[in-house]
Amino acid sequence: MATMNIAIEIGTSHTSVYLESAGVVLREPTAVAYVGDGDNKSVVAVGERAMSMMGKTPDKTTVVCPVVDGYIVDVDACKAMMSEYIKRILPVSYIFFPKIKAILVTPTGLTVDERKVYEDVVLQAGVAEVTLVDNVIATALGFDLPIASPAGGFVVNIGGGITEIALISVCGIISGCSVNVGGSMMDRALMDYLVGKYGLKVGGLTARRIREEIGTLYNNDVSYLEVKGININTLTPSTQCVYAEDTCAALLPYYARIADAIQGVTNLCPPELSSSVQGSGVFVAGGCAKIPGVEKVLGEILEIPVTVAEEPELVSVLGAGKLIGNKDLIKQIRSQQ
Ligand SMILES: Nc1ncnc2c1ncn2[C@@H]1O[C@H](COP(=O)(O)OP(=O)(O)OP(=O)(O)O)[C@@H](O)[C@H]1O
Ligand SMILES: [Mg+2]
């Protein structure tokens, strides 16, 4: 039977699948639309199509985001979504369903029961064998950091739901933490900011679009975007110019919180590793690291070198992909989990 080796990340915002020898073959929103309820639910769309239905569905159709703040909260929806994604990556013509082996990125430091939830989701979606890897380890691998050596690397992943921070040495985590700052919280902050400044209420998807299109941590950026929302005073539809400097004002405090959390982890760094951390600095991944100015802001607060990946949203899944076929490294990582 043919074997397919893949790596998967089921993130709060996006789910990505890497296929051996092909690269990232799927990246879609972590979203499911279904009709009915209870045992009579049936999936009508997943990913991009499900997201496009958000807020526009008739009564009997519901769109859910099954991962919240980094963790799977709707197991059934997640399984349904993953089954569909596994079908999509199968070769166009196959006689027998291939044996699929997956490396699955999970939030760092899950309990045994939580790990079982993640395993079950992919096993029931058609994967035959699964190996779990902590997001911070996958992030370090994505940066090609020498995780098996002493002081292998200091990494941060700022995702759609959570930010994970860890100092990694000899395949394990020396110190680290997760904070629930991510894209979703930043969208809410931006929504509140626009209500306060312009009396404009926008939806979460609009807030995300503003963040992704003109979001910045530079306070001298003059770009702007016209957005539609509701004027909260007149309760009528309204169009408003939102400026990049608005995003800076609303979002900077969240990146400062991330910097504080990173500082907290560096403070716990054993003296033996301190000089190596000061020298190589911190490696930053996750989609929210795409905002212009992140390197500057973190660098100024932390006073250590900051390296942001070119495609930060793909670092974890690419890192997990590097474990495919690498039994020795998997064994070393497992022995530290
Ligand atoms: N250009 C951009 N500027 C700012 N943020 C961006 C940009 N592009 C994408 N993002 C944000 O990146 C986030 C998605 O990143 P990523 O795929 O790393 O998260 P995730 O893996 O789904 O979430 P998590 O790991 O927290 O569960 C979204 O919140 C998205 O809005
Ligand atoms: Mg992620």
Side-chain angles (χ1 to χ4, degrees), residues 32-152:
V32 183
Y34 61 83
V35 280
D37 46 28
D39 291 340
N40 295 320
K41 274 187 200 163
S42 74
V43 172
V44 287
V46 298
E48 218 59 81
R49 224 172 91 71
M51 256 343 237
S52 70
M53 296 177 177
M54 185 80 100
K56 303 172 198 157
T57 53
D59 275 0
K60 289 190 174 154
T61 305
T62 314
V63 180
V64 293
C65 295
V67 179
V68 174
D69 294 343
Y71 298 89
I72 295 175
V73 292
D74 188 334
V75 175
D76 290 339
C78 214
K79 280 179 193 166
M81 180 191 76
M82 271 324 300
S83 305
E84 174 60 28
Y85 288 163
I86 294 291
K87 275 189 217 133
R88 284 193 200 171
I89 61 153
L90 289 174
V92 185
S93 62
Y94 60 92
I95 303 167
F96 300 108
F97 194 89
K99 178 175 180 183
I100 303 173
K101 295 186 186 176
I103 311 280
L104 176 65
V105 178
T106 61
T108 307
L110 292 183
T111 63
V112 173
D113 288 347
E114 288 167 339
R115 291 170 68 84
K116 179 98 180 52
V117 169
Y118 278 78
E119 264 170 17
D120 285 352
V121 162
V122 292
L123 291 175
Q124 289 180 28
V127 168
E129 259 180 58
V130 57
T131 302
L132 307 189
V133 59
D134 283 342
N135 191 17
V136 290
I137 299 279
T139 300
L141 287 165
F143 275 108
D144 281 327
L145 299 179
I147 65 157
S149 70

Side-chain angles (χ1 to χ4, degrees), residues 268-291:
L268 292 175
C269 170
E272 292 79 3
L273 295 180
S274 182
S275 66
S276 135
V277 167
Q278 296 292 329
S280 53
V282 61
F283 292 82
V284 186
C288 287
K290 283 173 99 164
I291 194 160

Side-chain angles (χ1 to χ4, degrees), residues 137 147-149 168-173 329 332-333 335-337:
I137 299 279
I147 65 157
S149 70
I168 292 158
S169 182
V170 203
C171 290
I173 297 167
L329 194 54
Q332 285 181 65
I333 293 168
S335 69
Q336 301 292 341
Q337 275 178 347

Side-chain angles (χ1 to χ4, degrees), residues 104-232:
L104 176 65
V105 178
T106 61
T108 307
L110 292 183
T111 63
V112 173
D113 288 347
E114 288 167 339
R115 291 170 68 84
K116 179 98 180 52
V117 169
Y118 278 78
E119 264 170 17
D120 285 352
V121 162
V122 292
L123 291 175
Q124 289 180 28
V127 168
E129 259 180 58
V130 57
T131 302
L132 307 189
V133 59
D134 283 342
N135 191 17
V136 290
I137 299 279
T139 300
L141 287 165
F143 275 108
D144 281 327
L145 299 179
I147 65 157
S149 70
F154 188 26
V155 295
V156 177
N157 190 307
I158 314 172
I162 51 170
T163 295
E164 295 182 54
I165 304 162
L167 172 62
I168 292 158
S169 182
V170 203
C171 290
I173 297 167
I174 300 291
S175 57
C177 72
S178 294
V179 280
N180 66 342
V181 177
S184 320
M185 186 180 269
M186 295 188 210
D187 288 339
R188 291 193 291 274
L190 191 53
M191 288 161 76
D192 288 347
Y193 184 89
L194 298 180
V195 167
K197 182 160 178 187
Y198 300 113
L200 183 77
K201 187 169 166 43
V202 299
L205 291 181
T206 302
R208 183 194 286 199
R209 188 164 70 86
I210 298 169
R211 210 164 40 77
E212 293 179 359
E213 289 187 20
I214 58 160
T216 182
L217 302 180
Y218 292 115
N219 59 10
N220 56 356
D221 185 332
V222 292
S223 13
Y224 62 90
L225 192 67
E226 252 186 22
V227 298
K228 292 191 170 72
I230 302 284
N231 179 315
I232 56 153

